[in-house]
Amino acid sequence: MLLQGGRSPARSQARRGPGGDLPRQAATLGGRLVTPQEHAAFVRLLKQCPDGPRIELGVFRGATLGLIAKHPGITIGVDSFAGMAAPGKRDTKDGWTPYPLGRLSAPMRDAQRAAPKARLLKGFVPDILPAITESGFAFAHLDMDQYGPTLAALQWVWGRMAPGGVICCDDWFADRDWLAAGAINDFAAGIGRIPETAGRKAWWIA
Ligand SMILES: C[S@@+](CC[C@H](N)C(=O)[O-])C[C@H]1O[C@@H](n2cnc3c(N)ncnc32)[C@H](O)[C@@H]1O
């Protein structure tokens, strides 16, 4: 488990699944380990968002996509389905990264099974983003762990949200300057809007 500053004094104890930065009191969200506070926030945001297309960037086996896709409209799930891209400078501290190339690779068919109604798109963010023609998103969930794709996805989706749409990010820590949290904090500083937060979930309402 990583500490809030990002150092890991006990790397051997780090969880190997997508809940790698998990605080200790865990529940589940679509099969994924989360805290009760994070679970409640995620469900509430899905309930409060307007009607319209939804998108998740970082799907893995589709646990959260299955929940996101429970609505009558379009749901898009974007993932490399080959795990992480090569880590960048902002994914590494002291020569170590929790998210090396290929980590969290999962077959696309698992995600399709978990979210049969979702349209899946295979490719790496940011390269795949121009292939997405939809906009006016009602809900966007960003869960890619690394700095570069998280920042690119935030910059891409920000101007493509419907009024009242929810942009929700996973893996946020207030004092972290690397990995997804670093991107979320840099993006927030850039737009001058502090996100609302619950545990590792951080979100803005468009
Ligand atoms: C933490 S998992 C997602 C977990 C999922 N949202 C859930 O709760 O079940 C991270 C996912 O992001 C994907 N990913 C990481 N970097 C990516 C990138 N640059 N482009 C596309 N997918 C990426 C990985 O393949 C992995 O499936």
Side-chain angles (χ1 to χ4, degrees), residues 18 32 56 58-60 63-64 79-80 83 104 123-125 143 145 149:
R32 187 187 174 204
E56 179 173 66
V59 167
F60 194 50
T64 41
D79 201 293
S80 68
L104 299 180
F124 281 98
V125 174
D143 191 5
D145 298 302

Side-chain angles (χ1 to χ4, degrees), residues 86-156:
K89 278 186 187 163
R90 300 286 295 272
D91 301 310
T92 306
K93 291 245 184 202
D94 301 333
W96 177 78
T97 180
Y99 296 109
L101 179 68
R103 188 176 173 211
L104 299 180
S105 173
M108 198 169 170
R109 65 175 174 278
D110 287 5
Q112 199 68 80
R113 203 174 297 133
K117 282 175 47 198
R119 189 200 316 160
L120 299 183
L121 205 54
K122 179 180 166 72
F124 281 98
V125 174
D127 298 350
I128 192 71
L129 294 176
I132 305 166
T133 55
E134 283 78 7
S135 63
F137 292 108
F139 188 89
H141 187 222
L142 277 56
D143 191 5
M144 292 179 286
D145 298 302
Q146 290 184 340
Y147 180 92
T150 303
L151 184 60
L154 277 169
Q155 290 167 340
W156 178 85

Side-chain angles (χ1 to χ4, degrees), residues 38 40 71-72 74-75 79 96 102 130 140 162 168 190:
E38 290 162 353
H71 76 129
I74 293 168
T75 303
D79 201 293
W96 177 78
C168 178

